[in-house]
């Protein structure tokens, strides 16, 4: 299960809100035996989400030709575009890949 941390209600989460939301979902996943990870963008990695969560699996969105430095985060999955194309789908799609591919 990946928790998608993005702007809501027209604004970004604060650091305190992020911690509360992550902890709540993490507790529920642990109690249910579900693996838990985080999904967020580069700005959240650098400025909003506490580094204390950096051991959790991460799926990061950064629309760029290279992932670049996201230390101390060690993402497993990189969403590198929101304008990908897939046969049979008429609109743009997000495309991700495993970081170590």
């Amino acid at each position: 299960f990946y928790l998608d941390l993005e702007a809501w209600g027209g604004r970004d989460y604060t650091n305190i809100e992020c911690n509360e939301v992550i902890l709540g979902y993490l507790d529920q996943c642990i109690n249910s035996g579900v693996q838990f990870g985080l999904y967020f963008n580069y700005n959240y990695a650098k400025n909003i989400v506490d580094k204390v969560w950096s051991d959790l699996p991460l799926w990061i969105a950064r629309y760029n030709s290279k992932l670049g430095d996201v230390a101390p985060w060690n993402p497993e999955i990189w969403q590198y575009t929101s304008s990908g194309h897939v046969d049979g789908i008429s609109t743009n799609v997000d495309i991700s890949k495993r970081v170590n591919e």
Side-chain angles (χ1 to χ4, degrees):
F1 175 85
Y2 281 86
L3 173 61
D4 183 354
L5 292 168
E6 296 187 62
W8 57 277
R11 67 174 180 81
D12 284 327
Y13 280 100
T14 66
N15 174 264
I16 292 169
E17 291 168 335
C18 268
N19 286 332
E20 291 173 352
V21 170
I22 292 168
L23 188 57
Y25 276 92
L26 178 61
D27 285 345
Q28 287 299 314
C29 286
I30 288 171
N31 291 336
S32 301
V34 174
Q35 185 177 1
F36 178 75
L38 300 172
Y39 168 87
F40 48 79
N41 64 36
Y42 182 79
N43 175 53
Y44 272 54
K46 290 298 187 182
N47 301 307
I48 297 176
V49 180
D50 269 344
K51 306 312 183 240
V52 69
W53 306 112
S54 64
D55 287 340
L56 290 172
L58 175 62
W59 178 359
I60 190 166
R62 185 169 194 206
Y63 304 149
N64 202 343
S65 61
K66 294 182 180 180
L67 178 57
D69 179 23
V70 291
W73 303 99
N74 187 23
E76 295 178 1
I77 304 169
W78 169 31
Q79 181 177 316
Y80 59 91
T81 186
S82 62
S83 56
H85 301 281
V86 174
D87 290 343
I89 300 177
S90 61
T91 60
N92 291 341
V93 297
D94 296 340
I95 299 180
S96 301
K97 68 179 184 177
R98 294 235 174 247
V99 171
N100 293 325
E101 284 185 345

